[in-house]
């Protein structure tokens, strides 16, 4: 059965069955809800208007963390909860979550006792799920850990541990996990309206399948709205007069070459111009620097970094780096919008988004729809458990308690095996994300000689990963493969443009698409990728492909 045949079968089942629980939204929270519900034995479906994790959930700082800056706000409950969930994520997905040491450079005598004491509290709040103890570093140890650190006035550093992951790969893993437990998942299916039963309660949704042009009525006893920054628009489908609760805040990250932090540790800058923390993080052979916190009026699925945000990151990074990054060093710029819950939920005066809580909230609307908003990747599992618990109570569903605290996610490998593979295959970090499926992925790459070759010399990904993504991971468009199934767009926007046509041709063969589809997809991806260039580069044209499409 081809990928499109599988998709047709899922859509047919969506229209035919009556589900216990339907999730709207395929980001971190929605996928977590689907995993929790399906693993309890509830018949579960999930529909996503775009691609899995296409919005905020693929644009994070790539950290699984407690949030050291919340210590300063004395939000110890949030920190303790997040550290606990960080530990569970590391246990349940060792192939995706790993320990990363962070170093806070010290330039004043008081910073050692101040940050040292705070990070010891961080260790204590993690309890038995700690990833490692914090400690004071000498000047020499600090330079060894972060060689490009600004050395003028450097006294030493403070080291602590947090988790790192690949957010989009985690999203795909959650989707695979939910599907393995019987959930039906359909991407590129937009909810056009809610469907109400005779008692005026929400009893399902009307979905438009954008690739196929079909309209489906999906019935469910409980409907969960997990659409993140778009949650208010779905809530208004239930009640047009409902007050908004979401305040989108944009976070921007720059991706730089690895030599801006050649060590294995990350840098945590405790205070930027606006009082935030700034991270300089090694990731997939590159360095991620961010982030910003800019209030936005309207949510956007594909937000663009503002010129002043790019300058802010470069300026603040330069204060702590010996070799200062410039615009010409930037390989990619990506922006995401956080679904922050306003402190008063609605109607209060505007406040700085960095002061708005990252706590999550659950609402039940007048028609019984359950909405989950706020939170962050690290706490996705806890949010999902609470959401399903609420849906079970509100709609009289029969289900056992959640089992996700100890649920091994798709592709799970023992931590020891993950480390052995990391040592055996240095530079092949992309392969570790497939966990126990790594051999099956390699078999797919071996089907044709060209599939084992790199998509582009500046990228680590074999071309055949596009085939795997189509067959097993709901990839329908070139951007699905280059932005999220691989991270090519984030690692090097220009390099991703160069290989877009090769990827499109492979996908077209798998999906039965025409040459015209290839050209349209390449042009669409190139237009998207231009938005990931540093602002001053966006007007520059890209080379043209053999088919004549701009790359």
């Amino acid at each position: 059965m081809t990928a499109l045949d599988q998709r047709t079968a899922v859509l047919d089942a969506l229209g035919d069955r009556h589900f216990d629980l339907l999730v709207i939204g395929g980001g971190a929270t929605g996928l977590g809800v689907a995993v929790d519900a399906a693993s309890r034995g509830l018949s579960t479906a999930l529909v996503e208007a775009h691609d899995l994790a296409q919005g905020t959930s693929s644009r994070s700082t790539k950290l699984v963390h407690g949030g050291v800056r919340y210590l300063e706000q004395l939000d110890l409950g949030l920190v303790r909860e997040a550290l606990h969930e960080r530990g569970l994520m590391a246990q349940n997905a060792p192939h995706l979550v790993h320990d990363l040491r962070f170093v806070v450079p010290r330039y004043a005598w008081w910073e050692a006792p101040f940050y040292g004491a705070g990070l010891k509290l961080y260790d204590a709040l993690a309890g038995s799920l700690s990833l490692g103890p914090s400690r004071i570093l000498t000047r020499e140890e600090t330079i060894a850990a972060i060689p490009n650190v600004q050395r003028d006035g450097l006294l030493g550093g403070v080291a602590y541990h947090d988790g790192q992951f690949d957010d989009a790969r985690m999203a795909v893993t959650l989707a695979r996990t939910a599907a393995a437990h019987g959930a039906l998942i359909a991407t590129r299916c937009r909810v056009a309206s809610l469907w109400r039963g005779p008692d005026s309660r929400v009893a399902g949704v009307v979905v438009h399948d954008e690739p196929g042009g079909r309209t489906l009525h999906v019935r469910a006893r409980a409907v969960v709205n997990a659409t993140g920054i778009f949650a208010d628009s779905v809530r208004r489908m239930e009640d047009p007069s409902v007050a908004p609760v979401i305040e989108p805040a944009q976070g921007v990250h720059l991706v730089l070459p690895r030599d801006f932090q050649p060590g294995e540790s990350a840098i945590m800058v405790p205070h930027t111009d606006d009082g935030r923390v700034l991270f300089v993080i090694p990731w997939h052979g590159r360095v991620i620097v961010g982030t910003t916190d800019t209030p936005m009026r309207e949510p956007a699925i594909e937000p663009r970094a503002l010129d002043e945000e790019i300058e802010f990151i470069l300026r603040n990074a330069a204060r702590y780096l010996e070799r200062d990054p410039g615009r010409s060093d930037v390989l990619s710029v990506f922006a995401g919008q956080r679904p922050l819950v306003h402190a008063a939920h609605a109607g209060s005066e505007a406040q700085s988004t960095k002061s708005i809580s990252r706590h999550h909230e659950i609402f039940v609307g007048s028609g019984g729809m359950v909405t989950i908003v706020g939170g962050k990747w690290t706490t996705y599992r806890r949010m999902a458990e609470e959401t399903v618990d609420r849906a079970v109570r509100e709609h009289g569903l029969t289900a056992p308690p959640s089992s996700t605290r100890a649920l091994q996610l798709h592709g799970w490998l023992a931590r020891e095996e993950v480390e052995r593979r990391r040592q055996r295959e240095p530079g092949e970090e992309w392969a570790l994300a497939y966990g126990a499926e790594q051999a099956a992925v390699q078999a797919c790459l071996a089907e044709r000689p060209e599939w084992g070759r790199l998509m582009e010399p500046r990228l680590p990904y074999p071309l055949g990963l596009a085939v795997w993504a189509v067959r097993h991971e709901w990839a329908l468009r070139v951007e699905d493969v280059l932005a999220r199934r691989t991270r090519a767009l984030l690692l090097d926007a220009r390099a991703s443009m160069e290989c877009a046509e090769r990827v499109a041709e492979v996908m077209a063969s798998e999906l039965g698409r025409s040459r015209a589809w290839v050209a349209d997809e390449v042009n669409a991806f190139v237009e998207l990728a231009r938005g990931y260039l540093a602002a001053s580069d966006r007007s520059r044209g890209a080379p043209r492909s053999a088919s004549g499409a701009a790359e």
Side-chain angles (χ1 to χ4, degrees):
M1 183 181 290
T2 68
L4 287 183
D5 289 338
Q6 294 173 13
R7 188 171 192 276
T8 298
V10 168
L11 295 176
D12 289 343
L14 284 177
D16 291 341
R17 294 172 56 184
H18 192 163
F19 296 92
D20 292 322
L21 189 142
L22 169 67
V23 185
I24 308 172
T29 307
L31 290 165
V33 170
V35 169
D36 190 285
S39 63
R40 296 193 200 200
L42 295 171
S43 59
T44 304
L46 181 148
V47 293
E48 162 58 46
H50 305 282
D51 182 33
L52 299 175
Q54 183 165 337
T56 307
S57 296
S58 62
R59 303 159 191 267
S60 74
T61 313
K62 321 306 176 195
L63 298 182
V64 181
H65 64 132
V68 291
R69 75 183 184 88
Y70 305 132
L71 289 176
E72 188 176 0
Q73 299 172 7
L74 297 179
D75 196 344
L76 302 186
L78 177 61
V79 175
R80 183 185 293 107
E81 175 185 277
L83 288 172
H84 178 75
E85 292 299 321
R86 180 193 70 177
L88 295 183
M89 280 184 74
Q91 291 179 359
N92 296 340
H95 57 304
L96 290 167
V97 180
H98 64 89
D99 169 49
L100 179 64
R101 185 173 72 159
F102 288 76
V103 176
V104 184
R106 296 187 290 109
Y107 295 92
W109 68 268
W110 58 266
E111 291 177 323
F114 181 77
Y115 296 127
L119 290 169
K120 285 300 179 186
L121 174 59
Y122 198 64
D123 295 343
L125 291 171
S128 62
L129 293 173
S130 172
L131 298 181
S134 60
R135 72 182 188 93
I136 304 297
L137 302 180
T138 66
R139 185 177 191 274
E140 291 71 25
E141 288 174 324
T142 302
I143 293 172
I146 46 177
N148 192 35
V149 66
Q150 176 60 253
R151 302 186 185 190
D152 187 21
L154 179 70
L155 300 178
V158 183
Y160 71 97
H161 294 258
D162 248 326
Q164 185 178 48
F165 78 141
D166 186 320
D167 48 11
R169 291 304 315 173
M170 177 65 83
V172 172
T173 296
L174 290 175
R176 296 290 301 275
T177 305
H181 283 85
L184 296 183
I185 295 174
T187 62
R188 309 285 173 190
C189 285
R190 183 182 301 278
V191 172
S193 62
L194 301 181
W195 186 25
R196 294 181 182 268
D199 58 357
S200 296
R201 302 276 285 176
V202 174
V205 299
V206 178
V207 170
H208 179 66
D209 163 34
E210 296 197 337
R214 297 172 61 180
T215 297
L216 303 169
H217 290 72
V218 185
R219 298 171 296 161
R221 295 175 63 188
V223 175
V224 172
N225 170 18
T227 53
I229 56 174
F230 300 105
D232 283 334
S233 63
V234 178
R235 291 173 68 229
R236 284 192 289 270
M237 292 181 185
E238 182 181 32
D239 180 359
S241 66
V242 73
V245 297
I246 295 294
E247 287 196 5
Q250 179 158 295
V252 168
H253 298 80
L254 308 184
V255 180
L256 303 172
R258 188 69 163 87
D259 55 8
F260 279 94
Q261 172 35 23
E264 296 303 317
S265 299
I267 302 173
M268 195 275 274
V269 175
H271 285 292
T272 60
D273 293 351
D274 70 347
R276 285 186 56 80
V277 299
L278 187 80
F279 294 105
V280 181
I281 301 172
W283 187 72
H284 287 325
R286 305 291 195 272
V287 175
I288 293 178
V289 188
T291 179
T292 59
D293 209 327
T294 307
M296 307 302 289
R297 287 184 175 274
E298 298 292 336
I301 188 66
E302 194 59 59
R304 290 286 179 260
L306 304 175
D307 196 60
E308 54 265 33
E309 290 178 302
I310 296 173
E311 286 299 327
F312 169 87
I313 294 174
L314 291 173
R315 181 175 68 252
N316 281 278
R319 292 165 52 193
Y320 287 83
L321 298 179
E322 186 79 3
R323 176 188 167 204
D324 297 346
R327 283 182 180 269
S328 61
D329 298 305
V330 177
L331 299 173
S332 189
V333 181
F334 65 94
Q337 293 185 353
R338 306 176 188 90
L340 303 185
V341 185
H342 199 286
H345 296 162
S348 67
E349 294 181 2
Q351 57 178 302
S352 169
T353 54
K354 67 177 181 291
S355 69
I356 298 178
S357 172
R358 267 52 171 179
H359 284 284
H360 58 273
E361 299 282 350
I362 298 174
F363 304 93
V364 178
S366 58
M369 182 173 68
V370 178
T371 294
I372 171 70
V373 290
K376 58 181 183 176
W377 249 118
T378 306
T379 56
Y380 89 89
R381 191 212 63 81
R382 174 74 175 270
M383 295 163 62
E385 177 181 340
E386 293 179 6
T387 302
V388 176
D389 284 346
R390 187 67 176 272
V392 166
R393 291 197 305 271
E394 292 288 335
H395 295 276
L397 304 178
T398 301
S402 175
S403 63
T404 58
R405 286 179 180 83
L407 181 66
Q408 295 176 353
L409 298 184
H410 186 84
W412 186 92
L413 279 176
R415 174 69 60 189
E416 296 75 18
E417 176 60 21
V418 172
E419 292 307 319
R420 278 195 294 270
R421 293 189 182 189
R422 180 171 279 113
Q423 295 298 321
R424 191 169 63 239
E425 302 166 1
E428 297 292 310
E429 188 175 351
W430 65 266
L432 291 175
Y434 293 92
E437 281 196 319
Q438 193 171 339
V441 172
Q442 293 293 347
C444 175
L445 301 183
E447 288 183 23
R448 296 188 183 181
E450 63 271 22
W451 288 359
R453 298 171 191 149
L454 294 179
M455 292 179 177
E456 210 278 339
R458 290 167 287 178
L459 297 169
Y461 304 112
L463 181 62
L465 292 183
V467 177
W468 180 269
V470 169
R471 291 179 182 175
H472 304 288
E473 297 179 346
W474 297 273
L476 295 172
R477 300 195 59 187
V478 168
E479 71 162 289
D480 299 348
V481 171
L482 290 178
R484 289 171 291 279
R485 304 309 182 277
T486 72
R487 312 317 302 275
L489 178 58
L490 272 60
L491 298 186
D492 193 321
R494 288 195 170 277
S496 72
M497 293 184 196
E498 294 287 350
C499 65
E501 184 171 28
R502 289 188 287 278
V503 169
E505 289 171 344
V506 167
M507 294 182 70
S509 178
E510 286 291 312
L511 292 168
R513 301 299 191 187
S514 67
R515 188 65 191 171
W517 181 89
V518 171
D520 288 345
E521 279 294 300
V522 172
N523 285 328
F525 179 77
V526 167
E527 183 62 28
L528 172 75
R530 284 199 180 102
Y532 286 70
L533 301 174
S536 59
D537 286 346
R538 290 175 187 167
S539 61
R540 291 169 54 190
R544 301 189 71 80
S545 69
S547 65
E551 291 188 8

